[in-house]
Amino acid sequence: MENMLSIAFGLAVSVLVSVLVWTTLIAGLYQLLREQFRQASSFVQRFTQERYVQRTDAGPQVAHQQPVAGH
Amino acid sequence: MEDVGVKKAHLGFWSLFALAVLAGAFIGLGAEFSTLAVTDSGLGFGLSKVLGGLVFSLGLILVVIAGAELFTGNNLIVMAWVSGKLTLGQVMRNWVIVYLGNLVGSLVTVLLVYLTRQWSFADYHVGATALNIAVAKVNLSFAEGLARGILCNALVCLAVWLCLSGRSVTDKILAVLFPITAFVASGFEHSIANMYFIPMGLLLRGEPEVVAAAGKAAADLANLNLQGLGGNLFSVTTGNIFGGGFMVAVVYWFIYRRPHEVTRSSEAATSVRRLLDLFLSSHQPGNPTKRGKA
């Protein structure tokens, strides 16, 4: 009986602690990946915008030197 | 502690990784020193364990005084998360980089110590001690590893917590000494120290003189493999995170740092709600979403 109690207690503690820790870790990893993805996408967006601004600022001079397909 | 946590979380990748490699190496050196000290010490069981713990403190002393990033100590960053100064993602970034850096540092130390053939000292008994330690660790059940991991990191984080109150190097060394000696002597499990002990055992199981000196048969070494290492690290790391992150950081935050403007009757409910909000929230301080911008 005592042995069963100790096994049940060990199992309960193991499950509770593991669920708490790993749920937190998985939630954190998810948030980390989302933050990294957001940073990467905002970097790409900024880079694209800067390129667009550079081209429009340079105007016909750049367009004359480096003609871009579709323009 | 919260401000320290915020600083740690904002370190650049390479600085953090290099400091983590150093911490892994420091803990490995402490583990190696401890293995040497307990071999044929001539002391009784208890005193031999205390001696091993005392010299193992070298690892955390180096981490605290010289400066390095140790995963188990960094579990205290949870305090900055529950205070809302960091996101869970930032905490996780620190933990992932530091854990991997600690692993690299420990493995490099294992290789270097192995190449020294220091394990052949005392007629291969130093190697035998290392092998016996590794075998005992891989044969722990999940619940044992978890419970020992919890208690270990509660003591390690308390040591780091005590260090914050120290002003001189002597203060900090004294603050580290007793908690670390207590955890090693009690046989508790430290995930980063195990990154040294178990790989060292994996290398030494291939040395017949060491196996003979340890008095081990092939069947005794059956669990000493990569699977055994992974199983041990899984249970012990889980325990370490709970022991340091929840039992020390969250408990001290709850006692001293939780918002005090709430009324007494709703204190518990507010604290629980705050924890749940932090856990579920996707809000990022200082990094607002950029939706709506072209």
Side-chain angles (χ1 to χ4, degrees), chain A residues 10-71:
Chain A
L11 196 67
V13 170
S14 299
V15 170
L16 275 174
V17 170
S18 301
V19 165
L20 182 65
V21 169
W22 284 97
T23 312
T24 312
L25 288 180
I26 290 165
L29 285 173
Y30 169 71
Q31 204 178 66
L32 173 64
L33 288 177
R34 210 174 47 177
E35 281 169 12
Q36 297 295 323
F37 178 74
R38 197 172 286 162
Q39 276 177 8
S41 61
S42 74
F43 173 78
V44 170
Q45 201 177 20
R46 208 170 50 238
F47 181 74
T48 317
Q49 272 179 348
E50 278 171 11
R51 294 263 303 188
Y52 177 75
V53 169
Q54 272 177 0
R55 276 186 194 156
T56 46
D57 283 353
Q61 201 179 357
V62 172
H64 176 69
Q65 285 168 353
Q66 290 178 321
V68 181
H71 285 263

Side-chain angles (χ1 to χ4, degrees), chain B:
Chain B
M1 188 63 228
E2 287 171 10
D3 296 337
V4 173
V6 172
K7 272 184 198 164
K8 281 173 180 278
H10 287 107
L11 274 174
F13 174 85
W14 288 111
S15 304
L16 194 59
F17 187 75
L19 287 167
V21 171
L22 280 181
F26 291 161
I27 294 295
L29 289 173
E32 179 272 320
F33 191 16
S34 174
T35 308
L36 186 82
V38 298
T39 303
D40 286 340
S41 64
L43 299 168
F45 171 78
L47 278 178
S48 176
K49 286 273 193 184
V50 169
L51 177 69
L54 209 59
V55 298
F56 182 88
S57 304
L58 167 72
L60 201 70
I61 289 171
L62 287 173
V63 168
V64 169
I65 309 293
E69 294 289 325
L70 183 64
F71 173 76
T72 45
N74 280 15
N75 287 164
L76 282 174
I77 294 178
V78 165
M79 197 176 274
W81 168 54
V82 290
S83 295
K85 291 184 177 176
L86 287 178
T87 64
L88 191 54
Q90 287 171 317
V91 174
M92 219 47 59
R93 173 186 172 272
N94 180 281
W95 284 2
V96 169
I97 296 169
V98 169
Y99 195 78
L100 293 176
N102 288 170
L103 181 64
V104 171
S106 301
L107 293 180
V108 169
T109 310
V110 168
L111 284 174
L112 286 173
V113 172
Y114 180 75
L115 288 174
T116 62
R117 288 187 64 86
Q118 176 249 25
W119 41 270
S120 65
F121 288 0
D123 206 13
Y124 294 98
H125 278 90
V126 173
T129 307
L131 188 65
N132 285 331
I133 291 170
V135 169
K137 286 183 185 297
V138 293
N139 283 317
L140 289 176
S141 70
F142 182 83
E144 283 172 324
L146 187 81
R148 291 181 189 203
I150 291 172
L151 291 169
C152 163
N153 210 29
L155 284 167
V156 170
C157 285
L158 282 171
V160 175
W161 183 258
L162 294 182
C163 269
L164 293 175
S165 62
R167 292 186 180 184
S168 67
V169 171
T170 315
D171 293 348
K172 290 182 180 185
I173 291 174
L174 282 173
V176 163
L177 223 49
F178 281 99
I180 300 302
T181 303
F183 106 68
V184 179
S186 308
F188 299 152
E189 296 285 318
H190 189 273
S191 53
I192 310 305
N194 288 2
M195 289 175 185
Y196 170 87
F197 282 124
I198 301 175
M200 184 49 109
L202 284 170
L203 288 178
L204 292 177
R205 69 172 292 181
E207 300 293 336
E209 299 94 339
V210 174
V211 177
K216 296 285 181 196
D220 300 326
L221 306 175
N223 291 333
L224 188 55
N225 48 33
L226 285 178
Q227 200 180 340
L229 171 68
N232 177 280
L233 287 184
F234 180 73
S235 61
V236 172
T237 304
T238 306
N240 283 170
I241 292 170
F242 187 80
F246 291 85
M247 284 180 65
V248 178
V250 173
V251 167
Y252 269 118
W253 172 81
F254 186 81
I255 295 167
Y256 293 120
R257 301 291 298 165
R258 99 197 121 125
H260 290 293
E261 66 271 18
V262 291
T263 58
R264 190 168 289 280
S265 59
S266 63
E267 269 185 0
T270 310
S271 298
V272 170
R273 203 179 308 129
R274 170 109 183 90
L275 277 173
L276 283 173
D277 282 349
L278 277 164
F279 188 70
L280 298 171
S281 165
S282 59
H283 173 68
Q284 295 177 317
N287 186 17
T289 53
K290 290 178 178 155
R291 276 185 214 150
K293 290 191 177 177

